[in-house]
């Protein structure tokens, strides 16, 4: 199969100069106008990304092995448009906006908390020109007055898109490890952060590794969860 290189990801410096338009209503000025932002924040759904049931803040009684999980919503409508333009068209202003939304979504966090981005495949970073998950994680950290920490290092560069669920789970298990140079502290709250929960394979694998390394206080933060169907 020929290797296909996508050509949609080159960072355009004009992105900073040209006026932005709202991904919800098209109004010129910002990537998300206040009105469309309210549409997201007022509809923050407490939905378990794993079993898709609605639940009381953060926790899912059915998926007891998962920690509290905060997401902006289901990947559809405005949220899907924002995430898509950020990831595939590298619109950094959207990353800044998504971080703002995520920091409003998260509860107050102890000052020693660390936001831990799940690692992005290096060829994606090369294609997109930057590590989009870390980009948002750093901004959430700054808004919450905590730090971002890259605890994981990639051990494989397998791509998840298109792989079936079983393959994804197996790949995720070996895709990254905790950087042995990083110290895991049981009094620190770790916020595992990723953009979208699709099968949850990467997140579950990260959770398992972080727990095994001795972390006791973990929560999950996701920009979006996959659609309900
Ligand atoms: Zn709007
Ligand atoms: Zn659940």
């Amino acid at each position: 199969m020929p290797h296909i290189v996508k050509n949609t990801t080159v960072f355009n410096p004009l992105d900073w100069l040209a006026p932005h338009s709202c991904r919800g209503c098209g109004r010129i000025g910002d990537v998300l106008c206040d009105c469309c932002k309210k549409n997201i924040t007022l509809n923050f759904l407490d939905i378990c990304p794993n079993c898709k049931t609605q639940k009381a803040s953060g926790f899912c009684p059915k998926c007891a092995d998962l920690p509290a999980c905060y997401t902006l919503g289901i990947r559809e409508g405005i949220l899907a448009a924002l995430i898509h333009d950020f990831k595939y068209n590298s619109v950094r202003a959207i990353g800044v906006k998504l971080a703002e939304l995520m920091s409003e979504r998260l509860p107050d966090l102890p000052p020693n908390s660390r936001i831990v981005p799940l690692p992005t495949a290096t060829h994606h970073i090369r294609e997109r020109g930057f590590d989009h998950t870390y980009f948002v994680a750093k901004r959430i950290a700054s808004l919450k007055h905590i730090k971002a920490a890259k605890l994981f290092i990639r051990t494989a560069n397998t791509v998840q898109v298109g792989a079936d669920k079983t393959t994804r789970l197996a790949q995720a298990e070996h895709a990254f490890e905790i950087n042995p140079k990083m110290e895991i502290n049981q009094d620190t709250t770790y916020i595992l952060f990723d953009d979208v929960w699709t099968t949850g394979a990467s997140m579950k694998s990260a959770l398992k590794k972080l727990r095994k390394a001795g972390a006791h206080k973990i929560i999950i933060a996701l920009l979006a969860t996959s659609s309900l169907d």
Side-chain angles (χ1 to χ4, degrees):
M1 205 202 252
H3 183 67
I4 300 161
V5 180
K6 275 185 274 168
N7 195 25
T8 54
T9 50
V10 178
F11 171 57
N12 180 2
L14 287 176
D15 176 47
W16 287 112
L17 304 171
H20 287 297
S21 61
C22 174
R23 296 318 191 257
C25 66
R27 192 177 304 170
I28 300 292
D30 200 353
V31 291
L32 184 68
C33 75
D34 286 347
C35 187
C36 292
K37 184 184 169 185
K38 267 201 197 104
N39 222 316
I40 296 178
T41 53
L42 290 176
N43 292 305
F44 276 155
L45 254 191
D46 265 325
I47 193 150
C48 172
N50 195 45
C51 68
K52 306 289 192 293
T53 8
Q54 288 187 42
K55 60 204 163 59
S57 62
F59 293 94
C60 173
K62 275 198 214 164
C63 304
D65 56 326
L66 286 182
C69 187
Y70 297 88
T71 167
L72 301 182
I74 298 159
R75 183 165 63 170
E76 58 186 22
I78 308 174
L79 196 53
L82 287 168
I83 293 172
H84 183 274
D85 251 8
F86 174 53
K87 276 181 83 167
Y88 302 107
N89 298 325
S90 300
V91 184
R92 291 173 201 227
I94 294 180
V96 173
K97 192 61 76 175
L98 288 168
E100 201 181 297
L101 286 163
M102 198 71 234
S103 86
E104 286 175 33
R105 181 72 180 100
L106 286 165
D108 284 339
L109 297 161
N112 69 344
S113 303
R114 295 284 179 270
I115 178 151
V116 181
L118 260 56
T120 311
T122 40
H123 69 272
H124 279 163
I125 298 175
R126 228 176 296 127
E127 276 175 8
R128 295 170 191 163
F130 67 113
D131 181 342
H132 70 275
T133 316
Y134 184 54
F135 180 93
V136 180
K138 271 194 305 186
R139 277 153 188 84
I140 300 171
S142 141
L143 291 165
K144 299 298 268 182
H145 308 290
I146 58 169
K147 284 187 178 138
K150 278 186 170 178
L151 289 189
F152 294 105
I153 43 171
R154 280 232 157 232
T155 48
N157 266 317
T158 35
V159 186
Q160 293 231 320
V161 177
D164 63 61
K165 197 172 177 177
T166 323
T167 316
R168 279 182 168 219
L169 280 167
Q171 285 176 349
E173 201 58 42
H174 303 288
F176 50 83
E177 289 300 334
I178 291 190
N179 184 343
K181 289 181 196 147
M182 301 299 256
E183 199 184 306
I184 306 296
N185 189 327
Q186 63 176 46
D187 298 319
T188 303
T189 300
Y190 295 96
I191 303 101
L192 284 174
F193 171 68
D194 203 5
D195 51 9
V196 180
W197 174 291
T198 309
T199 60
S202 300
M203 187 56 84
K204 285 177 184 170
S205 168
L207 184 62
K208 197 166 140 190
K209 290 180 164 92
L210 195 53
R211 278 179 173 154
K212 202 173 157 202
H216 280 195
K217 300 171 184 172
I218 305 173
I219 65 176
I220 292 175
L222 294 156
L223 294 180
T225 186
S226 52
S227 57
L228 294 178
D229 41 62

